[in-house]
Amino acid sequence: MKKIMTLAAAMLLTATAAMAQFSAGIGYLAPNHPWTNDNLNGFYASVDYNIPIVGNLGVAPGIAYSFSGKKTENSVSIFSGRVSLREQYVSVPVNVNYALNLSSDLTVRLYAGPTFCYGLTSILKGDGSVDIKGWTIGTGERTTSLYNDSGDYKKFDILVGGGVAFDYDSSIRLSLGYNYGLLNRYNTTLIPSFHRSYLHMGIAYLF
């Protein structure tokens, strides 16, 4: 009996592995940030492994790297010059998905789930001058990490989101989605609350 159960389990795992699908992709993302008036621009690279649960329902754990930033010319109050912001993250999404087979070569997937995110770097850089009543009292370049010792800007975040993906010929996937952060990333007098969110769209190759 034990041998039969072991053989059945082995056959089940083999069948699941055969049906599971690996994908690797890149794409565009536009996250918000408390130090800018509009979204940053960036890109991501990701891999995931879709594991069937039952029928057309599956779960796809993965890992992703993202980079985003913005560079602007500013003239605010007594400061004039260039300001840039650059951020890097590593994320672990775990999305549950449901496949709708529209034809023999086109499948639509609806997906949703949590993403566990950790900030690697957040660098604010200013290059300009400070002028008071026509007198330049300071000029030059300064670089600051927003992940400072005070811990005002939190590195860890948990986001929830969802989206839709289109699989063509079981080889190419186009996706569009949105994520919203559950945790308050900033907590200061200047910025009492900030929840990170971003729109993302991309293309992936299915193996």
Side-chain angles (χ1 to χ4, degrees):
M1 183 65 178
K2 184 182 292 185
K3 290 183 178 179
I4 295 175
M5 292 179 65
T6 302
L7 180 59
M11 292 176 63
L12 178 61
L13 290 174
T14 302
T16 301
M19 295 171 62
Q21 192 165 46
F22 176 80
S23 72
I26 58 174
Y28 168 80
L29 56 85
N32 63 336
H33 196 278
W35 287 88
T36 61
N37 294 324
D38 53 4
N39 287 350
L40 308 180
N41 293 306
F43 72 89
Y44 70 87
S46 66
V47 294
D48 66 36
Y49 193 65
N50 187 43
I51 304 169
I53 299 176
V54 59
N56 291 342
L57 188 66
V59 60
I63 187 168
Y65 163 82
S66 65
F67 174 89
S68 59
K70 183 173 284 291
K71 191 172 185 178
T72 60
E73 295 282 343
N74 282 298
S75 181
V76 180
S77 184
I78 60 174
F79 173 81
S80 62
R82 293 181 296 274
V83 177
S84 66
L85 177 66
R86 301 288 185 268
E87 289 199 324
Q88 298 180 80
Y89 287 88
V90 61
S91 305
V92 177
V94 184
N95 285 313
V96 175
N97 61 86
Y98 186 81
L100 301 171
N101 299 314
L102 301 185
S103 67
S104 59
D105 56 5
L106 182 61
T107 299
V108 176
R109 292 185 183 274
L110 305 176
Y111 64 89
T115 295
F116 305 93
C117 193
Y118 185 80
L120 299 176
T121 61
S122 182
I123 303 298
L124 184 66
K125 183 177 180 181
D127 183 6
S129 62
V130 177
D131 302 296
I132 297 180
K133 295 182 179 180
W135 292 85
T136 300
I137 64 170
T139 185
E141 180 180 289
R142 181 173 180 178
T143 300
T144 302
S145 172
L146 296 182
Y147 295 136
N148 51 44
D149 294 335
S150 68
D152 294 332
Y153 191 29
K154 307 298 188 300
K155 293 185 177 183
F156 182 70
D157 198 5
I158 300 175
L159 303 98
V160 293
V164 59
F166 300 89
D167 295 355
Y168 177 72
D169 198 26
S170 297
S171 59
I172 298 294
R173 173 175 295 159
L174 300 176
S175 62
L176 174 67
Y178 177 80
N179 281 359
Y180 179 80
L182 299 178
L183 305 183
N184 180 13
R185 296 282 307 284
Y186 237 118
N187 187 10
T188 64
T189 302
L190 181 63
I191 304 172
S193 178
F194 168 68
H195 292 262
R196 185 170 183 256
S197 64
Y198 57 87
L199 176 74
H200 58 92
M201 58 186 73
I203 184 171
Y205 184 75
L206 310 179
F207 296 88

